[in-house]
Coordinates of all heavy atoms in Angstrom, one line a residue:
A9 N -6.3 15.7 3.2 CA -7.6 15.5 2.5 C -8.1 16.9 2.2 O -8.4 17.7 3.2 CB -8.6 14.7 3.3
G10 N -8.2 17.4 1.0 CA -8.7 18.7 0.6 C -7.7 19.5 0.0 O -6.7 19.9 0.6
G11 N -7.8 19.8 -1.3 CA -6.8 20.6 -2.0 C -7.2 22.0 -2.3 O -7.2 22.4 -3.5
S12 N -7.5 22.7 -1.2 CA -7.8 24.2 -1.4 C -6.7 24.9 -0.6 O -5.7 24.4 -0.2 CB -9.2 24.4 -0.9 OG -9.5 25.8 -1.0
V13 N -7.0 26.2 -0.2 CA -5.9 27.0 0.3 C -5.3 26.4 1.6 O -4.1 26.4 1.7 CB -6.5 28.5 0.5 CG1 -7.6 28.6 1.5 CG2 -5.4 29.4 1.0
S14 N -6.1 25.9 2.5 CA -5.5 25.5 3.8 C -4.7 24.2 3.6 O -3.6 24.0 4.1 CB -6.5 25.4 4.9 OG -7.5 24.4 4.6
G15 N -5.3 23.2 2.9 CA -4.7 22.0 2.7 C -3.4 22.1 1.8 O -2.4 21.5 2.1
L32 N -5.1 14.9 -1.4 CA -6.2 14.3 -2.1 C -7.3 15.3 -2.3 O -7.8 15.9 -1.4 CB -6.8 13.1 -1.3 CG -5.8 12.2 -0.6 CD1 -6.5 11.1 0.1 CD2 -4.8 11.6 -1.7
E33 N -7.8 15.5 -3.6 CA -8.8 16.5 -3.9 C -9.9 15.7 -4.6 O -9.7 15.1 -5.6 CB -8.3 17.6 -4.7 CG -9.3 18.6 -5.3 CD -10.3 19.1 -4.2 OE1 -9.9 19.7 -3.2 OE2 -11.6 18.9 -4.4
E34 N -11.2 15.8 -4.0 CA -12.2 15.1 -4.7 C -12.7 15.6 -6.0 O -13.2 14.9 -6.8 CB -13.4 14.9 -3.7 CG -14.2 16.1 -3.4 CD -15.4 15.9 -2.5 OE1 -15.6 14.7 -2.1 OE2 -16.0 16.9 -2.2
D35 N -12.6 16.9 -6.2 CA -13.0 17.5 -7.4 C -12.0 17.2 -8.5 O -10.8 16.8 -8.2 CB -13.2 19.0 -7.3 CG -14.5 19.4 -6.6 OD1 -15.5 18.6 -6.7 OD2 -14.5 20.3 -5.8
T40 N -11.4 24.6 -8.5 CA -12.7 24.6 -9.2 C -13.6 23.5 -8.6 O -13.1 22.4 -8.4 CB -12.5 24.2 -10.7 OG1 -11.5 25.1 -11.2 CG2 -13.8 24.4 -11.5
H43 N -15.8 28.7 -4.9 CA -16.9 29.1 -4.0 C -16.4 30.2 -3.1 O -16.3 30.0 -1.9 CB -17.5 27.9 -3.3 CG -16.5 27.1 -2.5 ND1 -16.0 27.4 -1.3 CD2 -15.9 26.0 -2.9 CE1 -15.2 26.5 -0.9 NE2 -15.1 25.6 -1.9
C44 N -15.9 31.3 -3.7 CA -15.3 32.3 -2.9 C -15.3 33.6 -3.6 O -15.3 33.7 -4.8 CB -13.8 31.9 -2.7 SG -12.9 33.0 -1.6
G45 N -15.5 34.7 -2.8 CA -15.5 36.1 -3.4 C -14.0 36.5 -3.8 O -13.8 37.4 -4.6
G46 N -13.1 35.9 -3.1 CA -11.7 36.2 -3.4 C -11.1 37.5 -2.8 O -10.0 38.0 -3.1
L47 N -11.9 38.2 -1.9 CA -11.5 39.4 -1.3 C -10.5 39.1 -0.1 O -10.9 38.4 0.8 CB -12.7 40.2 -0.8 CG -12.5 41.6 -0.2 CD1 -12.0 42.5 -1.4 CD2 -13.7 42.2 0.4
V48 N -9.4 39.7 -0.2 CA -8.3 39.4 0.8 C -7.4 40.5 1.0 O -7.3 41.4 0.1 CB -7.6 38.1 0.3 CG1 -6.7 38.4 -0.9 CG2 -6.8 37.4 1.4
R96 N -9.8 32.6 -7.3 CA -9.3 31.5 -6.6 C -8.9 30.3 -7.5 O -8.2 29.4 -7.1 CB -10.4 31.0 -5.6 CG -10.6 31.9 -4.4 CD -9.5 31.8 -3.4 NE -9.2 30.5 -2.9 CZ -9.8 29.9 -1.9 NH1 -10.7 30.6 -1.2 NH2 -9.5 28.7 -1.5
D100 N -5.4 29.1 -6.2 CA -5.2 27.8 -5.6 C -4.2 27.0 -6.5 O -3.4 26.2 -5.9 CB -6.5 27.1 -5.5 CG -7.4 27.7 -4.3 OD1 -7.1 28.8 -3.9 OD2 -8.4 27.0 -3.9
F118 N -9.9 12.4 -6.4 CA -9.4 11.4 -5.5 C -10.0 11.8 -4.1 O -9.5 12.6 -3.4 CB -7.9 11.6 -5.4 CG -7.1 10.4 -5.3 CD1 -6.3 9.9 -6.3 CD2 -7.0 9.7 -4.0 CE1 -5.6 8.7 -6.2 CE2 -6.2 8.6 -3.9 CZ -5.5 8.1 -4.9
A119 N -11.2 11.1 -3.9 CA -11.9 11.5 -2.7 C -11.5 10.6 -1.5 O -11.3 9.4 -1.6 CB -13.4 11.3 -2.9
M120 N -11.3 11.3 -0.3 CA -11.0 10.6 0.9 C -12.4 10.1 1.4 O -13.3 10.8 1.6 CB -10.4 11.5 1.9 CG -9.7 10.9 3.1 SD -10.8 10.4 4.4 CE -11.5 11.9 5.0
R121 N -12.5 8.8 1.7 CA -13.7 8.2 2.2 C -13.7 8.1 3.7 O -14.7 8.4 4.3 CB -14.0 6.8 1.6 CG -14.0 6.8 0.0 CD -15.5 6.7 -0.4 NE -15.5 6.4 -1.8 CZ -15.9 7.3 -2.8 NH1 -16.2 8.5 -2.5 NH2 -15.9 6.9 -4.0
A147 N -8.5 18.8 5.7 CA -8.6 20.2 5.1 C -9.8 20.2 4.2 O -9.8 20.8 3.1 CB -7.3 20.6 4.4
R148 N -10.9 19.5 4.6 CA -12.0 19.3 3.7 C -13.1 20.4 3.8 O -14.1 20.3 3.2 CB -12.7 17.9 4.1 CG -11.9 16.7 3.6 CD -12.5 15.5 4.1 NE -12.5 15.4 5.5 CZ -13.3 14.7 6.3 NH1 -14.3 14.0 5.7 NH2 -13.2 14.6 7.6
G149 N -12.7 21.5 4.5 CA -13.6 22.7 4.4 C -14.9 22.5 5.3 O -14.9 21.6 6.1
V150 N -15.9 23.3 4.9 CA -17.1 23.3 5.8 C -17.8 21.9 5.8 O -18.4 21.5 6.7 CB -18.1 24.4 5.2 CG1 -19.4 24.4 6.0 CG2 -17.5 25.8 5.3
A151 N -17.6 21.1 4.7 CA -18.2 19.8 4.6 C -17.8 18.9 5.8 O -18.6 18.2 6.3 CB -17.7 19.1 3.3
S164 N -25.3 30.2 1.6 CA -25.0 31.3 0.8 C -25.2 31.0 -0.7 O -25.2 29.8 -1.1 CB -23.5 31.7 1.0 OG -22.6 30.9 0.3
A165 N -25.4 32.1 -1.4 CA -25.4 32.0 -2.9 C -24.5 33.1 -3.4 O -24.5 34.2 -2.8 CB -26.8 32.1 -3.4
Q166 N -23.7 32.8 -4.4 CA -22.9 33.9 -5.0 C -22.9 33.7 -6.5 O -22.7 32.6 -7.0 CB -21.5 33.8 -4.5 CG -20.6 34.9 -5.0 CD -19.2 34.9 -4.5 OE1 -18.9 35.5 -3.5 NE2 -18.3 34.1 -5.1
W194 N -23.7 41.1 -0.6 CA -22.4 41.8 -0.9 C -22.2 41.8 -2.4 O -22.7 41.1 -3.2 CB -21.2 41.0 -0.3 CG -21.0 39.7 -0.8 CD1 -20.2 39.3 -1.8 CD2 -21.5 38.4 -0.2 NE1 -20.1 37.9 -2.0 CE2 -20.9 37.4 -1.0 CE3 -22.3 38.1 0.8 CZ2 -21.2 36.0 -0.8 CZ3 -22.6 36.7 1.1 CH2 -22.1 35.7 0.3
I196 N -18.7 42.2 -4.7 CA -17.2 42.3 -4.8 C -16.9 42.5 -6.3 O -17.0 41.6 -7.1 CB -16.5 41.0 -4.2 CG1 -16.9 40.8 -2.8 CG2 -15.0 41.1 -4.4 CD1 -16.4 39.5 -2.2
V234 N -23.2 29.8 -7.9 CA -22.7 28.9 -6.9 C -23.4 29.0 -5.6 O -23.8 30.1 -5.2 CB -21.1 29.0 -6.7 CG1 -20.8 30.3 -6.1 CG2 -20.5 27.9 -6.0
A236 N -23.2 27.5 -1.6 CA -22.3 26.9 -0.7 C -22.6 27.2 0.8 O -23.0 28.4 1.0 CB -20.8 27.2 -1.0
P237 N -22.4 26.3 1.7 CA -22.6 26.7 3.1 C -21.4 27.5 3.6 O -20.2 27.3 3.1 CB -22.6 25.3 3.8 CG -21.9 24.4 2.9 CD -22.0 24.9 1.5
I238 N -21.6 28.4 4.5 CA -20.5 29.1 5.2 C -20.6 28.8 6.7 O -21.7 28.6 7.2 CB -20.5 30.6 4.9 CG1 -21.8 31.3 5.3 CG2 -20.1 30.9 3.5 CD1 -21.8 32.8 5.2
V255 N -7.5 21.6 9.7 CA -7.1 23.0 9.3 C -8.2 23.7 8.5 O -9.0 23.0 7.9 CB -5.8 23.0 8.5 CG1 -4.6 22.4 9.3 CG2 -5.9 22.2 7.2
G256 N -8.1 25.0 8.5 CA -9.0 25.8 7.6 C -10.4 25.8 8.1 O -10.8 25.7 9.3
D257 N -11.3 25.8 7.1 CA -12.7 25.8 7.4 C -13.2 24.6 8.2 O -14.1 24.6 8.9 CB -13.6 26.0 6.1 CG -14.0 27.4 5.8 OD1 -14.0 28.2 6.8 OD2 -14.4 27.7 4.7
A258 N -12.5 23.5 8.0 CA -12.8 22.2 8.7 C -12.6 22.4 10.2 O -13.2 21.8 11.0 CB -11.9 21.1 8.2
S262 N -12.7 30.4 9.6 CA -13.0 31.7 8.9 C -13.7 32.6 9.8 O -14.3 32.3 10.8 CB -13.8 31.3 7.6 OG -14.8 30.4 7.9
K263 N -13.7 33.9 9.4 CA -14.1 35.0 10.4 C -15.6 34.9 10.6 O -16.4 34.8 9.7 CB -13.8 36.4 9.7 CG -12.4 36.7 9.5 CD -12.3 38.0 8.7 CE -11.0 38.1 8.0 NZ -10.9 39.3 7.1
T266 N -17.6 37.9 8.7 CA -17.8 37.9 7.2 C -17.7 36.6 6.5 O -17.9 36.5 5.3 CB -16.7 38.9 6.6 OG1 -15.4 38.3 6.9 CG2 -16.8 40.3 7.1
A267 N -17.3 35.6 7.3 CA -16.9 34.2 6.8 C -15.7 34.2 5.8 O -15.5 33.3 5.2 CB -18.2 33.6 6.1
G268 N -15.0 35.4 5.8 CA -13.8 35.4 5.0 C -12.8 34.5 5.6 O -12.6 34.5 6.8
G269 N -12.1 33.7 4.8 CA -11.2 32.7 5.4 C -9.9 32.4 4.6 O -9.2 31.6 5.0
I270 N -9.7 33.2 3.5 CA -8.5 32.9 2.7 C -7.3 33.0 3.6 O -6.4 32.1 3.7 CB -8.4 33.8 1.5 CG1 -9.6 33.7 0.6 CG2 -7.1 33.6 0.7 CD1 -9.7 34.7 -0.6
Y271 N -7.2 34.1 4.4 CA -6.1 34.4 5.2 C -6.1 33.5 6.5 O -5.1 32.8 6.8 CB -5.9 35.8 5.5 CG -4.8 36.2 6.5 CD1 -3.5 35.7 6.3 CD2 -5.0 37.0 7.6 CE1 -2.5 35.9 7.2 CE2 -4.0 37.3 8.4 CZ -2.7 36.8 8.2 OH -1.7 37.1 9.1
C273 N -7.8 30.8 7.3 CA -7.7 29.4 7.1 C -6.3 29.0 6.5 O -5.7 28.0 6.8 CB -8.8 29.0 6.1 SG -10.4 29.0 6.7
G274 N -5.9 29.9 5.6 CA -4.6 29.7 4.9 C -3.5 29.6 6.0 O -2.6 28.8 5.9
F350 N -8.2 45.2 7.7 CA -9.2 44.2 7.1 C -9.2 42.9 7.9 O -10.3 42.3 8.0 CB -8.8 44.0 5.7 CG -9.7 43.1 4.9 CD1 -10.9 43.6 4.5 CD2 -9.4 41.8 4.6 CE1 -11.8 42.8 3.8 CE2 -10.3 41.0 3.9 CZ -11.5 41.5 3.5
Ligands
FAD1 C1 -19.8 32.2 -1.4 C2 -18.5 32.4 -0.6 C3 -17.8 33.6 -0.7 C4 -16.6 33.7 0.0 N1 -15.9 34.8 -0.2 C5 -14.7 35.0 0.5 C6 -13.9 36.1 0.3 O1 -14.3 37.0 -0.5 N2 -12.8 36.2 1.0 C7 -12.3 35.3 1.9 O2 -11.3 35.4 2.5 N3 -13.1 34.1 2.1 C8 -14.2 34.0 1.4 N4 -14.9 32.8 1.5 C9 -14.4 31.8 2.4 C10 -13.3 31.0 1.8 O3 -13.6 30.5 0.5 C11 -12.9 29.8 2.7 O4 -12.8 30.2 4.0 C12 -11.6 29.1 2.3 O5 -11.7 28.7 0.9 C13 -11.4 27.9 3.2 O6 -10.3 27.2 2.7 P1 -10.2 25.6 3.1 O7 -9.0 25.2 2.4 O8 -10.2 25.5 4.6 O9 -11.5 24.9 2.6 P2 -12.2 24.9 1.2 O10 -11.8 26.0 0.3 O11 -13.7 24.7 1.4 O12 -11.7 23.6 0.5 C14 -12.0 22.3 0.9 C15 -11.5 21.3 -0.2 O13 -11.7 20.0 0.3 C16 -12.2 19.2 -0.8 N5 -12.9 18.1 -0.2 C17 -14.0 18.0 0.5 N6 -14.2 16.7 0.9 C18 -13.2 16.0 0.4 C19 -12.9 14.6 0.5 N7 -13.7 13.7 1.1 N8 -11.8 14.2 -0.2 C20 -11.0 15.0 -0.9 N9 -11.3 16.3 -1.0 C21 -12.4 16.8 -0.3 C22 -13.2 20.2 -1.5 O14 -13.5 19.8 -2.8 C23 -12.4 21.5 -1.5 O15 -11.5 21.6 -2.6 C24 -16.1 32.6 0.9 C25 -16.9 31.5 1.0 C26 -18.1 31.3 0.3 C27 -18.9 30.1 0.4

Side-chain angles (χ1 to χ4, degrees):
S12 180
V13 61
S14 65
L32 317 181
E33 170 51 54
E34 70 178 357
D35 284 327
T40 307
H43 52 82
C44 183
L47 186 66
V48 70
R96 287 289 304 272
D100 287 17
F118 216 107
M120 195 281 292
R121 301 256 193 254
R148 287 173 295 154
V150 178
S164 82
Q166 182 179 267
W194 65 89
I196 299 174
V234 67
I238 54 174
V255 299
D257 261 344
S262 45
K263 298 176 201 167
T266 62
I270 299 172
Y271 175 47
C273 290
F350 183 75

